[in-house]
Amino acid sequence: MHDHQPHDPCELLRWETAQLQESGFDLGGLAAAAQQAVDDGDAAASRHLLDELLEVTRHNDWAFEEPEDLHSILASLHAPPPAAIIGEAALLDRILGGWLGRCAGCNLGKPVENGDHWTAEHLRCYLELADAYPLTDYIPVLDPMPESFELREFWPYTTRGRIFESARDDDIDYTILGLHILEQYGLGFTTADVAAEWLDRIPYTQTFTAERVVYRNLALGHAPIMAGKVDNPYREWIGAQIRADIFGYVHAGNPWAAAELAYRDATLSHTANGVYGAMWAAALVAAAFTGDAKYSVQTSLACIPPRSRLAEAIRFVLDQHATGVTWHTARTAIEERYGHYSWVHTINNAAVVVAGLLWGDGDFTASIGLTVQGGWDTDSNGATVGSVAGIITGAQRLPPHWTHPLNNTTRSAIRGFDRSRISDLADRTVLVANSK
């Protein structure tokens, strides 16, 4: 998925420098020294500089407020949205719609999940050559493949006409693992419970960025409360956000309750906007059970700190939509404003998700198509939007060309869950949702 090595001091320093600068910290002369150490591949110097960076402080004129503990997050909100009751028949149809939509959106984005290569512009060029722009079906394969394009290595089973089940992917693995955690520990699960299940159920090689850092730190003996805080420059990347949908499923119609569960999961590996991304995604999914796409975005925004960078990015896309510009114009504006982040950061990808939902306007095909066309973390974003749009649409009304190729089956690296029936996962999710 993402080629990042948490045991390499040069790699850690490269991204820690970026993380601190994006978060308003004053690095002074350490920024140039860090760049030199990274360029030289000097592991010893990089390790020393990582220790020095622990002492830097924020600029006095930092414009954002990004609390980290749940009490402070809650205190920053104007008012968490109220809960709604969902009827039993609608609950099952929409939870199954969420699971199917998540799998479809993930598989749609999976063969082009490489934000460095598959920029939005490059992806458009490919799709136009394949007579598949805008996207209304799975990614087609050009044969012969032009030299300037390279699909990911799993294209043989994630592209149009080649899909016979939902492929293994961390975006689906964590949804499955979240369901397992809720079944084992109930809605009162702790962050330590999450840590224990990671070590027991996930292969190390199927973790990436912040999750791999945490896995390594847990194996080295760090307590769960510290595992995400040691050598983790990926702490505001998208890893926690992709784990959050299950908490929205089980708290259908109750965005704040969903966000609170996501907080407990996310704080194992992430901080600040990395945690807010998970809270926001869970709230977004929960809100989708009771309203349309725009309502869901607006309601979920009320569950994260209003003066955070993530909230600013979501408001920016809402404002773009309100002006009546096209999706293409909005995507260009998102690139200009948030393109400096890693292509697997929370903030820029959340903006692409919001754009896909708003301009997709409840249409399942348009929503996931626009989102994946937006580039960056295509499988993660496609999965989140597929989940939300699948809930809004309901399983019975999902277009069959998206769901039939999945054959109601998903692969998974989670121990004990490979080749799960998607409908069984949905039924089990309904049981957890009804256990409250």
Side-chain angles (χ1 to χ4, degrees):
M1 178 182 169
H2 314 307
D3 186 22
H4 298 287
Q5 303 300 331
H7 55 270
D8 179 357
C10 298
E11 156 85 5
L12 294 174
L13 181 61
R14 175 192 173 192
W15 291 112
E16 182 63 26
T17 303
Q19 164 64 27
L20 291 170
Q21 290 172 326
E22 291 160 359
S23 304
F25 284 83
D26 181 4
L27 272 58
L30 292 177
Q35 186 62 58
Q36 188 65 56
V38 170
D39 290 345
D40 293 344
D42 189 333
S46 293
R47 183 71 263 172
H48 176 73
L49 285 162
L50 282 165
D51 293 338
E52 286 199 61
L53 288 174
L54 295 173
E55 306 301 321
V56 298
T57 57
R58 271 208 169 103
H59 291 287
N60 292 329
D61 59 353
W62 175 242
F64 301 95
E65 292 181 10
E66 298 180 340
E68 300 213 1
D69 67 276
L70 189 62
H71 176 78
S72 299
I73 291 172
L74 184 57
S76 77
L77 307 182
H78 299 307
I85 302 299
I86 313 299
E88 185 65 25
L91 184 67
L92 176 56
D93 181 53
R94 292 185 172 216
I95 284 178
L96 179 56
W99 274 102
L100 288 169
R102 185 163 181 81
C103 289
C106 179
N107 281 267
L108 174 61
K110 194 169 176 65
V112 291
E113 184 221 12
N114 181 349
D116 292 329
H117 177 74
W118 289 107
T119 63
E121 295 78 9
H122 200 53
L123 187 50
R124 178 172 184 168
C125 289
Y126 177 82
L127 293 173
E128 286 177 339
L129 279 174
D131 195 25
Y133 192 89
L135 265 175
T136 58
D137 201 342
Y138 290 106
I139 301 285
V141 177
L142 286 172
D143 185 16
M145 181 65 67
E147 287 187 8
S148 57
F149 302 106
E150 185 178 357
L151 296 173
R152 289 296 303 270
E153 63 274 16
F154 17 73
W155 69 263
Y157 49 90
T158 58
T159 46
R160 192 180 302 180
R162 295 174 169 85
I163 298 171
F164 301 102
E165 60 191 355
S166 184
R168 192 225 66 81
D169 191 275
D170 58 341
D171 296 283
I172 307 302
D173 283 342
Y174 285 112
T175 315
I176 291 172
L177 184 63
L179 172 61
H180 168 73
I181 289 169
L182 290 163
E183 289 178 328
Q184 290 295 114
Y185 303 95
L187 297 170
F189 74 88
T190 66
T191 306
D193 295 331
V194 176
E197 293 301 325
W198 280 24
L199 291 175
D200 187 54
R201 292 272 170 173
I202 309 176
Y204 176 75
T205 56
Q206 299 305 319
T207 61
F208 308 96
T209 65
E211 287 70 30
R212 183 168 290 193
V213 167
V214 167
Y215 202 117
R216 183 171 185 266
N217 285 339
L218 290 169
L220 290 171
H222 290 283
I225 196 171
M226 288 302 298
K229 297 177 174 62
V230 177
D231 286 345
N232 184 11
Y234 320 115
R235 57 191 176 272
E236 289 192 295
W237 289 16
I238 202 172
Q241 185 168 299
I242 72 171
R243 310 197 306 255
D245 285 30
I246 187 66
F247 306 122
Y249 297 165
V250 300
H251 275 305
N254 192 345
W256 175 252
E260 193 275 327
L261 289 189
Y263 174 90
R264 274 185 258 155
D265 174 87
T267 47
L268 176 62
S269 53
H270 286 70
T271 61
N273 292 277
V275 172
Y276 310 154
M279 297 177 71
W280 167 71
L284 181 71
V285 167
F289 286 88
T290 56
D292 61 15
K294 185 176 180 181
Y295 165 86
S296 301
V297 171
Q298 292 172 327
T299 301
S300 61
L301 184 57
C303 293
I304 61 172
R307 295 192 60 189
S308 64
R309 284 169 287 149
L310 178 60
E312 185 277 330
I314 295 169
R315 285 194 301 268
F316 176 77
V317 183
L318 281 164
D319 290 346
Q320 289 284 306
H321 187 254
T323 66
V325 301
T326 65
W327 175 85
H328 296 95
T329 299
R331 180 61 185 86
T332 299
I334 291 168
E335 186 75 38
E336 292 171 353
R337 196 172 182 96
Y338 307 109
H340 62 280
Y341 287 109
S342 161
W343 65 267
V344 283
H345 200 281
T346 295
I347 293 169
N348 50 351
N349 283 290
V352 168
V353 165
V354 172
L357 288 169
L358 294 179
W359 274 267
D361 194 24
D363 181 281
F364 182 81
T365 295
S367 298
I368 62 173
L370 288 171
T371 301
V372 170
Q373 284 171 205
W376 288 330
D377 200 349
T378 49
D379 62 336
S380 298
N381 296 339
T384 300
V385 170
S387 193
V388 173
I391 290 165
I392 292 170
T393 304
Q396 293 182 26
R397 295 191 298 124
L398 284 174
H401 72 280
W402 292 114
T403 56
H404 285 182
L406 304 175
N407 282 301
N408 195 27
T409 303
T410 184
R411 303 300 304 270
S412 179
I414 303 301
R415 183 171 58 78
F417 285 89
D418 193 25
R419 288 206 162 90
S420 291
R421 290 175 58 83
I422 299 170
S423 58
D424 288 346
L425 296 172
D427 289 343
R428 291 165 67 169
T429 305
V430 170
L431 287 176
V432 175
N434 287 334
S435 69
K436 299 189 290 291

